[in-house]
Amino acid sequence: MSTPSTASLYERLGGVYAIAAVVDAFIDRIMVNPKLNANPLVDEAHHRVPKAGFKYLVTEMVCMATGGPQRYTGKSMADSHRHLKITPAEWDVFAQDFKAVLDQFKVPEREQQELFELVGTTRGDIVMEEAPSARKAG
């Protein structure tokens, strides 16, 4: 058993069941967010993939990234997001939804900060830094 000071982020978050509950609420929230679905490519993806499978893969990923025993079996972040042409503004909306769900589940600030650091490492694979006008032309 780990002590609180040596416990992994996975352990401090409560393990797979607690992480799955947060992912469940988060995916439900982002799948219907009108600001995210204003991007027609995101909207199409949100309606193409079954929510249950999406939630499963995100749970795997979060568990693995936070030190749990699970192994992520999905596509790379670049392969699963490159075609969606996600803008920095859309990333910010995603982050706001993530923060709201973490607050809803009363995730402590230290753990929230660590989660945002982990999520931040994926930004370069997910966000297109081009101007919105370039996105429409492409």
Side-chain angles (χ1 to χ4, degrees):
M1 187 102 181
S2 301
T3 63
S5 62
T6 62
S8 69
L9 179 55
Y10 174 82
E11 292 169 313
R12 288 182 280 128
L13 291 171
V16 66
Y17 296 113
I19 290 169
V22 171
V23 168
D24 182 61
F26 177 62
I27 299 303
D28 283 348
R29 185 177 180 114
I30 64 169
M31 296 281 270
V32 298
N33 186 315
K35 291 179 182 176
L36 297 176
N37 287 331
N39 174 336
L41 299 170
V42 170
D43 185 52
E44 186 275 329
H46 282 170
H47 291 91
R48 180 176 25 89
V49 299
K51 261 200 292 191
F54 187 35
K55 290 175 180 183
Y56 173 80
L57 288 172
V58 174
T59 299
E60 271 187 346
M61 182 189 319
V62 173
C63 287
M64 185 178 93
T66 58
Q70 294 77 9
R71 293 290 161 245
Y72 175 62
T73 58
K75 295 178 183 177
S76 73
M77 290 298 96
D79 287 345
S80 59
H81 292 86
R82 178 182 312 123
H83 66 286
L84 300 177
K85 300 183 179 179
I86 294 171
T87 66
E90 291 162 348
W91 174 269
D92 291 344
V93 170
F94 164 88
Q96 290 165 6
D97 280 348
F98 189 44
K99 172 74 170 136
V101 170
L102 294 177
D103 288 345
Q104 173 190 337
F105 281 86
K106 298 180 180 11
V107 175
E109 189 58 39
R110 173 184 172 202
E111 285 72 18
Q112 284 196 31
Q113 183 178 359
E114 290 179 52
L115 285 166
F116 271 98
E117 287 171 10
L118 284 170
V119 170
T121 66
T122 66
R123 189 182 191 282
D125 290 334
I126 294 173
V127 175
M128 289 191 69
E129 296 296 341
E130 299 170 3
S133 59
R135 181 174 95 172
K136 290 178 186 168

